[in-house]
Amino acid sequence: MFLKSLKQAKVPLNEFEFPTSKVANVQSQLERLVEKNYYLHQSAREAYRSYILAYNSHQLKEIFNVHRLDLQAVARSFGFAAPPRVNLAIESRTSHTRKADKVSSKTADYRKTGHGFSAANSHGKRDASDKRQFIRN
């Protein structure tokens, strides 16, 4: 899908092939190095986190959808055997909708409590006709 977008934008593409016998497998060495060096591990974690946040902020959501991202493969590219625990605070569109519904329902519930704060009733005192009784525990 991304290649189609690049072709539509008339970006010249070149494909290269490398024989597998000429490519060194350094993944296990990279993972050991990141695991043993504290500062390298911290830097790799921050880079991993930044990459995912940048991926999430991209405008082409149909191509760069962070929820379809293979986190295991991304973590391996940063030298981790397994994805590290990082605080991402990434939300989906559905969670925004749920939160908006929740806030609007809370506001509606608040209006139903009978505590009518207004310019005329700035302390939210009950109406004289309100005969509800409340108990303090």
Side-chain angles (χ1 to χ4, degrees):
M1 182 172 219
F2 185 62
L3 290 177
K4 289 179 187 176
S5 299
L6 290 176
K7 286 179 183 177
Q8 286 176 352
K10 297 181 180 165
V11 174
L13 301 173
N14 296 324
E15 186 175 343
F16 297 98
E17 290 187 26
F18 296 99
T20 54
S21 61
K22 300 280 183 181
V23 178
N25 187 1
V26 295
Q27 185 66 39
S28 60
Q29 294 170 355
L30 177 64
E31 288 174 9
R32 278 196 307 271
L33 183 64
V34 168
E35 182 183 325
K36 290 182 180 183
N37 186 325
Y38 172 79
Y39 297 106
L40 192 56
H41 185 271
Q42 290 300 105
S43 297
R45 269 185 67 174
E46 282 301 310
Y48 171 78
R49 180 180 181 274
S50 297
Y51 175 83
I52 293 174
L53 290 174
Y55 197 92
N56 184 54
S57 68
H58 203 284
Q59 290 178 346
L60 296 173
K61 295 291 184 193
E62 64 274 359
I63 296 172
F64 297 100
N65 185 345
V66 74
H67 300 288
R68 290 189 306 217
L69 190 61
D70 183 2
L71 294 178
Q72 181 72 33
V74 173
R76 290 193 74 215
S77 70
F78 284 94
F80 296 108
R85 289 182 177 255
V86 292
N87 185 11
L88 295 175
I90 293 177
E91 297 179 350
S92 67
R93 217 173 269 225
T94 2
S95 70
H96 286 294
T97 307
R98 279 194 307 261
K99 283 183 182 177
D101 291 345
K102 195 174 187 180
V103 167
S104 65
S105 69
K106 279 185 181 179
T107 307
D109 291 343
Y110 174 72
R111 290 185 187 134
K112 295 176 190 174
T113 62
H115 298 288
F117 291 98
S118 65
N121 188 8
S122 60
H123 298 290
K125 293 182 182 176
R126 291 186 292 160
D127 240 354
S129 63
D130 189 359
K131 300 296 183 197
R132 295 180 293 170
Q133 294 181 357
F134 300 98
I135 299 172
R136 286 192 184 178
N137 291 335

